[in-house]
Amino acid sequence: MIKMKNFERIIADQIAKVTQLNEEKLVTYIEIPKETKNGDYSFPCFRLAKELKKAPPIIANEIKEKLENDNISEIDKIDVVGGYLNFYINKETFVNEVLTEFANNQEYGKSNLGNNKNIVIDYSAPNIAKQFHIGHLRSTVIGGALYNIYKYLGYKVIGINHLGDYGTQFGKLIEGYKLWGEEYNIENDPINELTKIYIRINEACKEDKQVLENCRNNFKKLEEGDKYCGEVWQKFRNLSLKEFQKVYDLLGSKFDSWNGEAFYSDKMQEVIDILGSTGKLMESQGAQIINLEDKGINTPCIIEKSDGSTTYATRDLAAIMYRARTYDFDKALYVTSYEQVLHFKQIFEVAKLLGLDEKYTKGLEHISFGMVLLPTGKMSTREGNVVRLQDLINESITRAKEVIKSKNPDLENQDEVAKKVGIGAVIFNDLSSARIKDEVFDWDTILNFQGETGPYVQYTYVRTKSVLQKIGYIPNIEDVKVDNLLDEYSFEIIKLIYNFKNVLVQVTEKNEPSILAKYLIDLAKAYSGFYNENKIITDDKDVQNSRGYLTYVVGEILRIGANLLGIEMPEKM
Ligand code: ARG
């Protein structure tokens, strides 16, 4: 296999020779100019001004002069613009390298970079007997994309669905079920029916202290392993999971572990004991807490409530210990909305008291994301403005089908295509902007075939397929004559192809799948430019084949990239 030249390295290496500065550092300064007229790579010399004690333009000119004397074969031209050095690389070499690299790899962009390091990703995690809502969708989609991309880069990934299947609310649900179970058809419509029971039992608790007492007792019994309570709990869990699975089936989500909060019920004592032995655990209003004020966190972490029951935090602490031991993780990522920022700050801080190797506590990271806003406001359980995820996805599929019908009425397999497009639109929408941003959910935007959307990426992919079909071209790198791909539009694409690997690495460095989503939009746009400006079908077979090959590569990368985001591609639409 031919190892592709790394142009950033070549440039950094040359600058290092001239300046005697460290190449590793220099390479991180190199930028890719936004506009092609500024070259293919640029180097901001102001970053060296301090060390070299010279003004950036002077540094730039000196480096330029020396490098030009060296006649570096990969570099065609060097320009100085202000304090910047702009490099124009030799296009023939570049195009040749990029396409050969592509042709030599079955799965372009795949690597062993991760060296089998263990990455735990905790994502999705809906709550039993509650609605799987749009916030969980974001977690499922972001976590799923990270899962795929880490794996593609050679990490060993463990996807965990830390289900909310524990807590005092189960004592209430059990009581409600005991009292009125017969009246509700929880087999048929578990989440809605259990929600009704939950609302009703809460009312009853308010009216009658004895009912509340019974609920508390149920939870205690559940913890102590009581048979009836355990069976009912299991039933709620199974029925809820069956419901959640419908969403996972639509999205294609998979998990390696379904150990939810309940799994840690017998693993919390150890946490409490260790924390007790550190002397940091203290009583406050009857509860056991860890004060974190000296760490700049003003809210204490509650380890045990005043009624003796454990908390969400304690279960997460037990989970950290368990995961460290079981998976020996290098990183443990938690994908939830930013509403849980405080929670994770607290537990990551308290985890340092558990006597774990530093490797583990350093590897903990909260991957927080913004809220999903309906045009009318926040979609959350608390405000009662809940959208059922299944309904939302199905609506997207229905709407996608309408668009497809109007655009391409004769298309075969419309249902199958609509499913890919509808789901792709929802997933892409969740990933297309920086995760921390709140997201406005708007049907017209997410399903716009011309917008920065999933359907646009899919549509461009389909277009590459139909171009190849029209010219009856079977891709073969041998057909490529590099000279035919040196125009501005082709070269733009070549540069993006080259950057694909880098983009995947950036996703893992920032845990930010939107970098890949944006890249796919850029690639699709670049292809549209190429398609509009360059005639692909021509009498010149060399030109046609070269452009055909580039078309093929674009399609493949769009497919690989979209698949990594969890989106399937239709072949026609
Ligand atoms: N079940 C929680 C929720 O719905 C999310 C759990 C996230 N994971 C964790 N280890 N705390 O908000």
Side-chain angles (χ1 to χ4, degrees):
M1 190 183 91
I2 300 173
K3 185 88 191 74
M4 184 154 69
K5 285 188 181 151
N6 186 323
F7 294 91
E8 279 109 322
R9 282 268 162 214
I10 293 170
I11 293 170
D13 179 50
Q14 294 297 332
I15 300 179
K17 267 192 216 146
V18 174
T19 60
Q20 309 295 327
L21 297 173
N22 176 284
E23 184 198 328
E24 292 307 318
K25 213 160 92 190
L26 294 176
V27 83
T28 64
Y29 296 159
I30 294 177
E31 299 171 3
I32 296 176
K34 292 226 163 56
E35 291 179 60
T36 5
K37 68 168 174 34
N38 290 327
D40 304 308
Y41 293 98
S42 72
F43 188 86
C45 293
F46 67 83
R47 308 208 63 157
L48 311 181
K50 234 196 196 145
E51 264 168 292
L52 301 177
K53 300 195 181 63
K54 283 180 200 159
I58 298 178
I59 299 173
N61 276 305
E62 283 179 6
I63 296 178
K64 172 182 150 104
E65 202 172 306
K66 288 191 184 139
L67 292 188
E68 276 175 351
N69 284 338
D70 286 354
N71 255 333
I72 306 147
S73 67
E74 290 89 353
I75 297 170
D76 269 359
K77 189 172 82 156
I78 307 172
D79 266 353
V80 173
V81 179
Y84 278 85
L85 276 166
N86 292 343
F87 293 88
Y88 297 79
I89 48 192
N90 182 277
K91 288 189 174 180
E92 282 91 338
T93 322
F94 189 67
V95 174
N96 204 5
E97 293 268 345
V98 172
L99 293 183
T100 312
E101 162 88 2
F102 177 88
N104 282 329
N105 283 285
Q106 282 273 317
E107 294 167 288
Y108 185 64
K110 194 169 182 164
S111 72
N112 301 321
L113 195 84
N115 224 338
N116 268 323
K117 280 193 195 144
N118 298 314
I119 310 285
V120 166
I121 309 183
D122 176 319
Y123 63 113
S124 194
N127 303 314
I128 298 301
K130 288 200 194 149
Q131 210 61 256
F132 188 140
H133 61 73
I134 196 146
H136 295 125
L137 169 78
R138 261 206 117 174
S139 174
T140 310
V141 165
I142 295 172
L146 290 174
Y147 186 102
N148 297 337
I149 296 165
Y150 271 103
K151 202 164 181 175
Y152 204 64
L153 296 188
Y155 291 87
K156 195 160 171 287
V157 196
I158 302 100
I160 301 180
N161 197 334
H162 187 80
L163 293 167
D165 57 2
Y166 208 65
T168 44
Q169 73 272 26
F170 285 96
K172 288 185 175 171
L173 272 173
I174 293 169
E175 190 60 22
Y177 180 79
K178 211 194 290 182
L179 293 172
W180 321 294
E182 318 266 271
E183 296 172 37
Y184 296 84
N185 196 345
I186 69 164
E187 252 82 12
N188 233 353
D189 188 7
I191 309 284
N192 282 331
E193 295 294 281
L194 287 171
T195 306
K196 284 182 201 156
I197 295 181
Y198 190 62
I199 293 170
R200 185 165 167 193
I201 191 74
N202 267 323
E203 286 302 314
C205 284
K206 270 185 223 154
E207 276 157 28
D208 188 342
K209 282 255 144 20
Q210 187 53 49
V211 180
L212 184 63
E213 196 48 41
N214 292 346
C215 294
R216 289 202 177 123
N217 266 330
N218 285 339
F219 183 63
K220 215 171 248 145
K221 285 203 253 165
L222 181 66
E223 288 204 284
E224 286 158 1
D226 174 81
K227 191 159 172 281
Y228 174 79
C229 290
E231 274 171 11
V232 176
W233 171 83
Q234 190 68 51
K235 183 179 179 133
F236 296 160
R237 192 179 191 270
N238 289 348
L239 288 171
S240 304
L241 277 186
K242 221 168 106 189
E243 227 17 52
F244 299 159
Q245 193 56 45
K246 293 182 188 162
V247 176
Y248 294 137
D249 284 344
L250 285 167
L251 296 173
S253 316
K254 299 222 163 50
F255 301 90
D256 301 302
S257 162
W258 294 82
N259 288 338
E261 294 183 41
F263 179 76
Y264 301 99
S265 59
D266 62 351
K267 299 175 178 58
M268 286 180 279
Q269 194 53 49
E270 186 185 4
V271 171
I272 297 168
D273 291 346
I274 296 175
L275 292 176
S277 72
T278 62
K280 296 250 163 60
L281 197 63
M282 52 187 229
E283 206 189 297
S284 165
Q285 296 167 8
Q288 294 292 320
I289 64 154
I290 302 274
N291 185 306
L292 297 166
E293 262 167 25
D294 56 334
K295 307 288 175 202
I297 304 169
N298 291 329
T299 324
C301 184
I302 301 172
I303 301 297
E304 219 175 57
K305 293 191 215 161
S306 53
D307 65 5
S309 61
T310 53
T311 63
Y312 178 52
T314 324
R315 291 189 279 284
D316 256 330
L317 290 165
I320 291 173
M321 295 198 80
Y322 177 82
R323 292 171 187 179
R325 288 170 181 156
T326 313
Y327 305 114
D328 182 30
F329 60 78
D330 289 274
K331 277 198 220 177
L333 311 178
Y334 295 81
V335 188
T336 82
S337 87
Y338 59 59
E339 288 185 312
Q340 296 196 34
V341 163
L342 175 64
H343 167 74
F344 286 105
K345 266 199 189 136
Q346 290 176 326
I347 63 160
F348 293 170
E349 209 42 66
V350 177
K352 293 181 190 159
L353 305 172
L354 293 174
L356 295 168
D357 193 301
E358 251 202 357
K359 163 186 166 183
Y360 302 120
T361 47
K362 283 211 164 108
L364 301 168
E365 210 177 318
H366 182 207
I367 310 304
S368 57
F369 55 79
M371 307 302 285
V372 184
L373 310 155
L374 273 173
T376 47
K378 195 170 99 177
M379 291 193 198
S380 84
T381 17
R382 249 172 272 152
E383 282 159 35
N385 190 11
V386 194
V387 171
R388 249 185 22 154
L389 203 49
Q390 244 164 283
D391 298 342
L392 178 126
I393 297 174
N394 283 320
E395 180 165 354
S396 189
I397 297 172
T398 313
R399 284 173 182 257
K401 195 166 167 193
E402 279 162 24
V403 183
I404 291 163
K405 246 200 211 141
S406 70
K407 285 192 188 260
N408 190 354
D410 302 328
L411 181 74
E412 284 171 36
N413 305 326
Q414 286 191 7
D415 285 328
E416 204 190 305
V417 176
K419 201 172 157 193
K420 288 179 179 169
V421 174
I423 295 171
V426 171
I427 295 180
F428 197 89
N429 178 55
D430 256 333
L431 298 175
S432 56
S433 45
R435 61 178 152 78
I436 199 62
K437 282 199 192 156
D438 285 342
E439 158 198 317
V440 179
F441 194 95
D442 174 64
W443 287 117
D444 293 332
T445 315
I446 77 168
L447 281 163
N448 183 348
F449 281 36
Q450 259 83 51
E452 303 196 343
T453 61
Y456 173 61
V457 173
Q458 289 170 321
Y459 180 73
T460 312
Y461 170 74
V462 168
R463 176 182 262 180
T464 65
K465 292 276 137 183
S466 72
V467 165
L468 294 178
Q469 207 182 23
K470 220 178 270 165
I471 60 177
Y473 179 61
I474 314 248
N476 182 354
I477 180 86
E478 304 295 328
D479 301 331
V480 176
K481 300 276 175 294
V482 170
D483 289 353
N484 296 321
L485 299 176
L486 299 179
D487 67 282
E488 172 188 351
Y489 297 97
S490 310
F491 199 65
E492 186 66 33
I493 293 178
I494 298 280
K495 281 206 284 185
L496 284 164
I497 299 171
Y498 172 68
N499 268 333
F500 184 57
K501 269 189 182 176
N502 197 7
V503 162
L504 298 182
V505 174
Q506 280 178 38
V507 171
T508 58
E509 279 171 357
K510 300 192 174 139
N511 294 306
E512 184 66 83
S514 68
I515 297 172
L516 176 56
K518 282 220 177 66
Y519 169 89
L520 295 178
I521 293 293
D522 288 345
L523 184 59
K525 280 186 182 162
Y527 186 74
S528 298
F530 167 84
Y531 180 89
N532 293 333
E533 300 297 327
N534 290 339
K535 276 209 184 65
I536 298 175
I537 308 176
T538 76
D539 292 337
D540 185 335
K541 281 286 164 266
D542 272 352
V543 171
Q544 180 168 304
N545 287 345
S546 299
R547 289 180 178 164
Y549 192 79
L550 195 61
T551 296
Y552 159 71
V553 179
V554 169
E556 284 302 280
I557 296 183
L558 289 176
R559 182 182 55 77
I560 295 171
N563 288 170
L564 286 173
L565 295 180
I567 297 170
E568 285 187 60
M569 290 302 211
E571 296 300 307
K572 288 195 173 138
M573 72 191 258

